[in-house]
Amino acid sequence: MTPPATPLPSIKASQINPPPDWALLQRQLISLLEQAGDLATEKYARSDGQVYHIFDVDDAYESRSMRGIFYALGGDRRFLDIAKREYDAITWIYGDERVLPAGAPPHPMYMPQLHNEYWNLSVPFNADWFHMGEGNQMFYDFGVADPTNPANRERARKFAAMYIGEDPNAPNWDPEHKIIRSPLHGGAGPFLSCRQHQGMIHKSLEVSDHVHLVRNFLDRGSLGDFG
C-alpha cells in the first residue's frame, strides 16, 4: 500500500517591509551589468548573433557565456534571448556541415570545429574535456535559465548519446572497459591515431589501440613525462 503523500509546507507573507540594503545594492549592480551587456552586444556581435571575432570554438562560446546565468540571477529577459541567439550563431558558424559562400575570403584563424553541433577532430587538442568545459559553459547555463527550451533539451539528449553508446556516428564509449575511448573525442567520435607533427605527443608513431594513445598522450613533458 502506497503511503499518503506528505503535503508541501506552506509559507505565507503577512506584512511588507522595505528591502534590505544588500538587495538594493544587488539590483543596482544588475542594472549596471545590463548596461555593460548591451554595450558589449552592440560592439562585438551582429544583430543576428554572429560574433565579429574568430577564435577556437571553445573561446568563441566562452567569450559570450554568462548571459544565461545572468538572466537566471535577475538580469533582464533580453540577455537570455541574446545568449540563445549568439549560441545558435556560433554553433552554425563553426559547424563542419556549413558550406562557405563561393569566393569568400578565408580568415587565418577560422576552422570548422563542430560536427553535429559538438566538437569534431579538426583541431584534436581542442577536443578534450578542458576545452569542452570552457566552451560548454554557455550551454550549461541554459539548463538553469531556460530548462524547458525544446531545442536545447534535444541538444542535451543528442550530446549525451555521444557518450553513452547511443550515437553510432560518435562511438566514444567503450562498453567493455566502461571508459571513454580516447582523451580526445566529440561529435565525430574518438581520436585514435597520432602523428608527431600534430604536436600532441613526442613520439612519432601510428597507433589504433586507444590504450596506447592514452599512454602516449600522457607521456609528454608538459604533463610530467609519464614513462
Side-chain angles (χ1 to χ4, degrees):
M1 181 177 178
T2 304
T6 303
L8 293 175
S10 176
I11 300 175
K12 183 177 180 180
S14 59
Q15 55 182 313
I16 298 176
N17 291 317
D21 291 343
W22 65 262
L24 296 174
L25 290 172
Q26 185 180 66
R27 291 309 310 178
Q28 291 177 25
L29 176 60
I30 288 175
S31 178
L32 182 62
L33 290 172
E34 288 174 344
Q35 296 176 50
D38 287 335
L39 289 172
T41 300
E42 181 180 357
K43 184 172 183 178
Y44 297 113
R46 299 175 180 174
S47 59
D48 63 357
Q50 294 187 58
V51 295
Y52 289 129
H53 48 280
I54 294 294
F55 295 136
D56 286 331
V57 67
D58 60 291
D59 296 322
Y61 281 133
E62 188 177 16
S63 72
R64 318 309 294 172
S65 64
M66 303 301 169
R67 287 159 176 76
I69 201 68
F70 178 54
Y71 160 73
L73 290 171
D76 191 85
R77 166 72 194 218
R78 68 182 181 275
F79 290 98
L80 175 60
D81 297 335
I82 290 169
K84 291 178 181 177
R85 185 168 67 241
E86 293 183 347
Y87 181 88
D88 288 343
I90 292 169
T91 302
W92 173 76
I93 289 170
Y94 285 89
D96 57 15
E97 302 91 349
R98 178 187 176 206
V99 178
L100 296 176
H107 190 287
M109 288 292 292
Y110 174 74
M111 183 179 294
Q113 295 176 44
L114 301 176
H115 180 76
N116 199 14
E117 299 192 316
Y118 207 64
W119 271 251
N120 65 21
L121 298 173
S122 62
V123 185
F125 51 81
N126 276 347
D128 62 354
W129 278 130
F130 176 84
H131 290 92
M132 290 179 183
E134 291 180 320
N136 284 339
Q137 291 179 68
M138 194 175 187
F139 185 71
Y140 294 156
D141 290 348
F142 293 139
V144 175
D146 191 16
T148 62
N149 180 276
N152 287 331
R153 287 168 66 92
E154 179 57 32
R155 279 176 171 139
R157 293 188 182 96
K158 177 171 64 176
F159 298 159
M162 298 172 182
Y163 291 94
I164 59 176
E166 293 184 0
D167 183 350
N169 296 313
N172 296 298
W173 177 246
D174 182 334
E176 179 182 355
H177 299 95
K178 297 184 175 8
I179 59 171
I180 302 300
R181 299 176 64 219
S182 168
L184 308 174
H185 43 74
F191 187 69
L192 297 178
S193 65
C194 296
R195 297 182 181 89
Q196 187 177 18
H197 73 264
Q198 288 170 307
M200 289 176 49
I201 59 176
H202 66 254
K203 298 177 181 178
S204 179
L205 75 162
E206 284 280 356
V207 296
S208 59
D209 188 310
H210 51 277
V211 174
H212 291 165
L213 173 61
V214 172
R215 181 181 299 131
N216 284 287
F217 179 78
L218 293 175
D219 187 17
R220 299 186 301 169
S222 61
L223 291 180
D225 194 19
F226 295 86

